[in-house]
Amino acid sequence: MQLTGKITPDSLMSLEAYTKWRKLHKPEVMAHRKLRSVMLGEHIHLQFESETTIRYQIQEMLRIEKIFEEEGIQDEIGAYAPLVPDGSNWKATMLIEYPDIHERKRELARLIGVEDRLFVEVEGYDRVYAIADEDLDRETDEKTSAVHFVRFEFTPAMRVAIQAGAAVKVGCDHTHYPAHLSISAETLSSLAGDLR
């Protein structure tokens, strides 16, 4: 899988080429995804995306749906490519996970607005709150969605600090879900590579 900085139909593999590539490289992509995965408390999972994770997602969708026509390929790119960080930010898929369906329903009602209360705190700087669901609103007056897409936008000074090894915390200050944790050095090293 070649990283080009911009996902275009021409930069994707054919279904046949991807099927062969996948057999050899899926474990590497899964390890990369795991490295960029953060559990915030017991129920919020943040999957920080990268060009690798999004290319993989697009290729998987094309493979599963057997999409090979240009319009379908462009639709998948349009759906997922906005989740690739663009040098000044981190982007993540936020999953609210409650295995029990009744507990999930109750908690999604209690957690309205939780996606707007997520933050990243770079040592020495103010918190950066998530910009959530820029593509469409994912909550109602009754409940929030179990899936959100969030972006954390950093100042140039914050980006330099992160790349220089500053400690970084991720957290949530929602009334019904207070949580925070320090991002591990290994994960932070991967995330720092998203910044320019």
Side-chain angles (χ1 to χ4, degrees):
M1 188 175 298
Q2 180 130 6
L3 302 182
T4 62
K6 183 165 174 50
I7 301 174
T8 63
D10 292 342
S11 72
L12 295 171
M13 289 180 257
S14 68
L15 294 181
E16 296 83 4
Y18 176 68
T19 300
K20 290 176 187 172
W21 181 92
R22 183 180 188 268
K23 286 178 185 166
L24 295 172
H25 299 283
K26 184 178 178 183
E28 296 164 28
V29 176
M30 293 299 103
H32 177 74
R33 284 182 62 86
K34 185 176 181 185
L35 177 65
R36 297 173 64 91
S37 180
V38 174
M39 277 305 292
L40 181 59
E42 292 181 37
H43 304 287
I44 291 182
H45 177 193
L46 292 171
Q47 177 61 60
F48 286 94
E49 305 295 359
S50 67
E51 184 179 347
T52 298
T53 65
I54 296 303
R55 276 187 181 279
Y56 180 79
Q57 179 67 34
I58 292 168
Q59 292 278 185
E60 281 292 294
M61 292 305 294
L62 298 177
R63 181 185 71 84
I64 292 164
E65 302 290 333
K66 297 186 178 21
I67 298 169
F68 56 88
E69 293 176 353
E70 193 169 335
E71 184 179 342
I73 293 169
Q74 200 59 58
D75 288 346
E76 295 300 325
I77 292 171
Y80 293 105
L83 296 174
V84 176
D86 58 21
S88 65
N89 52 43
W90 291 340
K91 296 182 182 180
T93 302
M94 171 192 178
L95 306 160
I96 303 174
E97 300 173 337
Y98 288 91
D100 178 80
I101 191 166
H102 302 294
E103 183 183 19
R104 181 169 56 243
K105 185 176 179 181
R106 182 184 71 238
E107 293 305 314
L108 290 178
R110 286 174 25 107
L111 292 174
I112 291 173
V114 70
E115 67 279 7
D116 297 317
R117 303 310 307 164
L118 282 180
F119 63 84
V120 169
E121 191 173 329
V122 180
E123 182 181 13
Y125 294 91
D126 291 337
R127 290 177 174 173
V128 172
Y129 281 89
I131 300 163
D133 302 324
E134 294 177 278
D135 57 341
L136 61 102
D137 196 11
R138 289 187 162 76
E139 76 180 14
T140 66
D141 293 338
E142 289 82 40
K143 68 176 186 73
T144 192
S145 172
V147 179
H148 295 277
F149 299 105
V150 297
R151 173 170 58 95
F152 300 97
E153 200 65 44
F154 300 108
T155 65
M158 289 175 181
R159 297 195 301 263
V160 168
I162 292 167
Q163 291 174 316
V168 180
K169 292 180 182 174
V170 63
C172 180
D173 61 12
H174 188 280
T175 304
H176 299 295
Y177 201 91
H180 70 276
L181 66 90
S182 294
I183 298 176
S184 73
E186 297 83 13
T187 298
L188 197 50
S189 176
S190 181
L191 294 177
D194 296 345
L195 304 173
R196 303 191 282 277

